[in-house]
Amino acid sequence: MKKLLITTLILLIQSYPSFGSVDGKGIVCKCLDCKLEHLDPSSYMPNNVPTEIGFHFKINKVAIYYIRKIGDKIKVGENIQTTLRKKKRFLSDENEIKWTYKDSLNIYAYTLNRKTLILSKMNITKTEKYNIRKCEPFSEIEFFNKMNKLSENYQNVYDNKPQKNKI
């Protein structure tokens, strides 16, 4: 009888729905509908088109990675503003992953739909959407490889583009 009770209990626990952990994973997101005034001001934007942005999840925290142009170099960089340098905690359930970020002017609410991989950046009260991005998931190593490859591709395009006032 005791074995039957334990077996039943184990089967009940395993039958509850679970959702995958995002620990050690990342997403790379491309703009579908972005308001330029709500993009990171140091993000690289060739022809006023925002480049991809990355989010890395590790130990219940998320960090944002941007593609930036510093001088003539295009590189991947984590948040450079002091207020953004700290990784932020995120909440996750089977439907969404949510976190907030504060810049020098605003507090933003991010929500990632786990099924559609659509990421929304909204005001903190979630009454207005500023940016909508489509994301692609990656393992930790693949995430950093993807972000570095994107920056290399943008660097190659930049290097091969005719530069004005170049001697």
Side-chain angles (χ1 to χ4, degrees):
M1 183 67 166
K2 196 174 191 180
K3 284 184 182 179
L4 180 61
L5 183 62
I6 291 172
T7 304
T8 305
L9 184 62
I10 290 171
L11 288 173
L12 280 173
I13 291 171
Q14 288 183 343
S15 68
Y16 283 106
S18 64
F19 49 94
S21 169
V22 294
D23 189 49
K25 296 182 178 133
I27 54 174
V28 177
C29 307
K30 188 172 185 163
C31 271
L32 295 177
D33 182 17
C34 292
K35 295 180 181 176
L36 296 182
E37 64 271 16
H38 290 282
L39 294 173
D40 182 87
S42 62
S43 289
Y44 182 53
M45 294 196 325
N47 303 319
N48 283 331
V49 176
T51 51
E52 293 82 353
I53 188 171
F55 297 88
H56 181 247
F57 301 92
K58 186 110 180 189
I59 312 171
N60 295 322
K61 294 189 178 181
V62 61
I64 299 177
Y65 289 84
Y66 298 100
I67 296 174
R68 304 183 187 281
K69 182 177 177 280
I70 302 170
D72 286 340
K73 298 295 178 197
I74 299 171
K75 298 185 177 260
V76 175
E78 194 175 351
N79 306 319
I80 59 172
Q81 295 180 14
T82 305
T83 57
L84 295 177
R85 205 169 279 163
K86 294 180 183 170
K87 294 168 178 54
K88 303 298 179 183
R89 288 198 157 288
F90 66 89
L91 299 172
S92 179
D93 63 27
E94 64 273 6
N95 298 314
E96 296 177 323
I97 302 170
K98 302 176 194 177
W99 65 95
T100 59
Y101 250 82
K102 179 182 180 214
D103 66 16
S104 57
L105 299 174
N106 300 296
I107 300 175
Y108 296 106
Y110 286 87
T111 301
L112 176 69
N113 181 307
R114 292 181 79 145
K115 292 183 176 94
T116 64
L117 293 177
I118 296 292
L119 177 69
S120 299
K121 178 180 179 180
M122 300 162 276
N123 61 351
I124 196 65
T125 58
K126 298 183 181 178
T127 55
E128 186 177 353
K129 285 187 182 177
Y130 298 130
N131 297 328
I132 299 171
R133 296 176 181 265
K134 177 68 176 170
C135 304
E136 187 178 354
F138 294 94
S139 70
E140 189 165 30
I141 292 171
E142 290 171 334
F143 167 76
F144 288 107
N145 286 342
K146 175 70 174 181
M147 290 299 290
N148 286 325
K149 186 70 174 166
L150 285 168
S151 69
E152 289 170 11
N153 290 345
Y154 284 118
Q155 182 71 56
N156 288 336
V157 170
Y158 178 80
D159 289 343
N160 294 317
K161 185 177 175 182
Q163 302 295 319
K164 293 180 182 177
N165 300 331
K166 214 174 186 182
I167 299 177

